[in-house]
Amino acid sequence: MFYKICFFDLDGTLLDIGRGRKAWISKKNSDAVRKLANKCIIVISTGRKFNSKVALIGRQIKAKFYICQNGAEIFDKNFSTLFKTGIKQEIISKIIEITKRFNFVISFNSKVFFFKNLFIKFLNFFLKSFDFKPFRQILVPENVRKILIFSVNIWKIKKFAYVLEKIFSDNLQICLIRKFRVIEITDISASKGKAVEFITKFSNISLDYALHIGDSENDISTKKIVKMLIIMQSGAKNAKKNADFIGYKRKFGVAKVINNFILEPKSAAIVGKYGSGKTTFLKKVEKFGYSVLYTDEFFHNCYLASGECFKIIKKIRPDFINENIVNKNKIRNFMLKSKQNRDLIEKSIYPFLENHLSKNHYHFVEIPNLWTKNANFGKFFSKVVWINTSKKQQLLNIKRKKVKNDIKLKNQALNTGKIQFYDVKISNRKWKKPGFFLKFFSKIFK
């Protein structure tokens, strides 16, 4: 399995039954995470403060670490504190002063104080588990890990967040959540993203093997830190815009992500004519964090003196070896002379690619000769994506390749196989449109 550590948000993600204080994890989600826990480290990553319920959920899913209060507190599986940080009292005092001027509601570590009665109805809807007290009774805890500021006025809360950013950008993490009605504030050293860095370093695991699943704006901080950020389909719009992959709806959604994307990952074959733009397309795909195999690169390495292809070519056609280097042009000429010659080479080298694919998973594989009779590549792929382009664009793409003209012509001749079937057909114009890739990934992996 590719991932070695997986981070799970609770509310709206892992907890898919009920809402708020009554939210709980379904058996399907629980079973899927427990199964995953046998193969990688499970981490709870939540905005909630650490309590008995969080601990109980963690035990149920075999969590090794707990990120609470958006990274302000980190605990190990024995509930020992690994990291904690708080907001300085002088900063809290300034925030309280500004909050009073705006007539907003403020919460310290999940204890809520309100200033005007008109907020009660709003707070009862969102924060049923909190206590309400008038502003004059405000009591700031000794250690404030997280501050929440509420308002029904989206324009005013956005303005307030802007003011806070200008004043405290060097000291605080400030995040708008709940459809821009709530500001979430932690110390500058506390975010889910920074917590990911802390735990992976603590566990001696590369960030290249880390995955985060969430649904809220506070999950965005893990973007470009983890290898893959998955946001639930029912998640916040802004969070989905920053996702590498959009998951499923809330109920049983985590179980589906684990089964379809992690434990039994799907793989797509990328096919198309020579010069159709397959490599350019896949270079773009790689930027989203997906693993890609370019068969040209694979065989380039395979033909090196230490590679298996080199050894087999040296055995069957030693005349193709010049000074310990495979003469690929001789191979091309040989394959183009007859079908028997082509079959001989393909039957000799394709088993190495088959063996590699059987032992390694890639989300996407560029494979121009998918339907050859000399190998069974189809068994490795759940989807086939055809990259199609106009003849004019194809010629332009070929012209841009830094390859001699005679080699270009030979490569074209060796890549003239018909597209027998496909699941998704994509043109150059289509994949260059904004927003294309998130929809594309959802289609491929669902």
Side-chain angles (χ1 to χ4, degrees):
M1 192 187 74
F2 182 79
Y3 298 104
K4 295 181 180 179
I5 186 165
C6 294
F7 298 79
F8 292 91
D9 173 52
L10 289 183
D11 295 280
T13 305
L14 201 57
L15 306 185
D16 57 333
I17 297 174
R19 300 279 179 181
R21 184 170 53 180
K22 295 180 180 179
W24 195 251
I25 182 172
S26 66
K27 188 177 185 302
K28 282 190 177 181
N29 275 1
S30 178
D31 288 347
V33 180
R34 285 173 64 85
K35 187 177 179 182
L36 181 63
N38 295 325
K39 298 187 177 183
C40 79
I41 293 173
I42 302 299
V43 183
I44 284 177
S45 181
T46 180
R48 293 188 179 205
K49 64 180 181 180
F50 185 79
N51 55 29
S52 58
K53 183 173 181 178
V54 173
L56 186 60
I57 295 167
R59 282 179 176 150
Q60 186 176 337
I61 63 171
K62 300 181 181 179
K64 292 284 181 70
F65 298 97
Y66 300 79
I67 298 168
C68 295
Q69 306 264 50
N70 289 343
E73 296 177 315
I74 301 175
F75 305 90
D76 65 13
K77 65 178 181 180
N78 299 316
F79 315 132
S80 298
T81 303
L82 299 178
F83 173 84
K84 62 181 178 180
T85 187
I87 302 170
K88 294 177 181 178
Q89 289 294 326
E90 58 266 30
I91 293 176
I92 295 169
S93 298
K94 290 178 183 177
I95 291 174
I96 291 171
E97 287 177 19
I98 303 169
T99 304
K100 284 180 178 178
R101 290 206 300 268
F102 276 81
N103 288 335
F104 288 159
V105 179
I106 192 166
S107 160
F108 305 102
N109 298 341
S110 302
K111 288 188 177 180
V112 176
F113 306 89
F114 64 92
F115 181 67
K116 287 187 176 181
N117 289 336
L118 62 89
F119 285 111
I120 294 176
K121 189 174 181 180
F122 168 72
L123 290 173
N124 277 330
F125 179 77
F126 280 102
L127 307 165
K128 294 177 182 178
S129 60
F130 293 166
D131 295 325
F132 302 101
K133 294 181 181 179
F135 232 127
R136 63 179 178 273
Q137 294 181 20
I138 195 166
L139 180 65
V140 180
E142 185 178 348
N143 296 307
V144 176
R145 310 289 181 205
K146 186 174 77 169
I147 297 173
L148 296 176
I149 296 172
F150 309 84
S151 175
V152 291
N153 189 317
I154 294 175
W155 181 83
K156 284 183 73 176
I157 201 78
K158 283 184 176 181
K159 183 180 178 182
F160 187 64
Y162 174 77
V163 170
L164 292 177
E165 283 279 3
K166 286 199 73 173
I167 301 172
F168 302 113
S169 59
D170 293 334
N171 307 102
L172 301 174
Q173 299 274 358
I174 298 164
C175 181
L176 275 164
I177 62 171
R178 298 279 185 120
K179 297 182 179 180
F180 305 111
R181 288 190 174 90
V182 179
I183 301 174
E184 204 169 43
I185 303 169
T186 54
D187 182 70
I188 192 69
S189 62
S191 71
K192 289 186 177 183
K194 289 185 181 295
V196 166
E197 291 178 317
F198 178 91
I199 290 175
T200 51
K201 186 176 181 180
F202 182 87
S203 304
N204 196 28
I205 295 174
S206 168
L207 289 165
D208 287 335
Y209 299 103
L211 175 144
H212 181 93
I213 305 176
D215 76 316
S216 180
E217 289 87 351
N218 57 33
D219 296 299
I220 298 172
S221 64
T222 65
K223 174 79 172 176
K224 296 183 180 178
I225 294 176
V226 295
K227 184 70 173 179
M228 179 68 61
L229 170 60
I230 298 176
I231 297 294
M232 304 303 288
Q233 188 178 331
S234 49
K237 281 186 179 180
N238 193 39
K240 287 192 283 189
K241 285 180 183 177
N242 286 275
D244 296 311
F245 177 70
I246 296 174
Y248 302 84
K249 291 183 179 179
R250 180 171 171 259
K251 193 168 185 181
F252 312 142
V254 167
K256 291 177 183 177
V257 167
I258 290 171
N259 291 326
N260 295 338
F261 197 79
I262 304 174
L263 289 178
E264 299 172 12
K266 295 179 180 179
S267 187
I270 305 297
V271 301
K273 292 181 180 179
Y274 180 71
S276 61
K278 299 186 296 295
T279 300
T280 306
F281 175 80
L282 287 172
K283 290 294 181 185
K284 187 73 174 177
V285 165
E286 278 189 297
K287 291 181 180 180
F288 288 87
Y290 292 91
S291 55
V292 173
L293 175 67
Y294 302 91
T295 50
D296 283 349
E297 288 183 9
F298 172 83
F299 283 117
H300 170 79
N301 294 326
C302 195
Y303 279 128
L304 296 176
S306 58
E308 295 297 329
C309 294
F310 175 89
K311 294 173 185 175
I312 197 71
I313 293 296
K314 188 175 183 179
K315 184 177 180 181
I316 62 173
R317 291 302 302 252
D319 54 314
F320 289 175
I321 308 294
N322 296 330
E323 297 180 357
N324 241 19
I325 296 173
V326 174
N327 189 321
K328 294 180 186 176
N329 204 34
K330 284 187 176 181
I331 293 178
R332 291 187 192 95
N333 292 336
F334 179 75
M335 292 175 72
L336 287 169
K337 280 183 180 179
S338 70
K339 185 179 181 302
Q340 289 76 16
N341 288 355
R342 180 168 183 160
D343 288 344
L344 174 65
I345 297 297
E346 288 185 355
K347 286 177 181 178
S348 299
I349 66 171
Y350 279 174
F352 300 120
L353 179 57
E354 284 186 286
N355 183 55
H356 181 79
L357 290 172
S358 69
K359 295 178 180 178
N360 299 273
H361 173 262
Y362 297 91
H363 294 113
F364 297 92
V365 178
E366 175 267 324
I367 186 161
N369 201 11
L370 177 63
W371 294 283
T372 176
K373 293 179 180 178
N374 297 317
N376 183 15
F377 293 132
K379 64 184 177 182
F380 299 109
F381 307 108
S382 57
K383 296 282 176 70
V384 176
V385 179
W386 177 15
I387 306 297
N388 189 32
T389 190
S390 65
K391 187 69 177 176
K392 182 180 178 181
Q393 185 62 50
Q394 183 188 14
L395 292 172
L396 284 171
N397 291 343
I398 293 171
K399 191 175 181 180
R400 291 191 191 108
K401 289 178 179 286
K402 296 178 181 179
V403 181
K404 292 180 180 179
N405 285 332
D406 63 323
I407 293 176
K408 289 178 184 177
L409 293 171
K410 290 170 187 176
N411 285 338
Q412 278 183 275
L414 289 168
N415 288 276
T416 55
K418 291 183 179 180
I419 306 297
Q420 294 185 14
F421 62 85
Y422 59 89
D423 298 286
V424 181
K425 183 179 179 181
I426 301 169
S427 66
N428 270 24
R429 289 180 182 178
K430 192 173 182 180
W431 69 260
K432 290 177 181 177
K433 290 181 179 179
F436 164 81
F437 279 98
L438 285 180
K439 293 178 182 178
F440 169 71
F441 295 140
S442 295
K443 194 170 186 178
I444 293 298
F445 295 111
K446 287 186 180 179

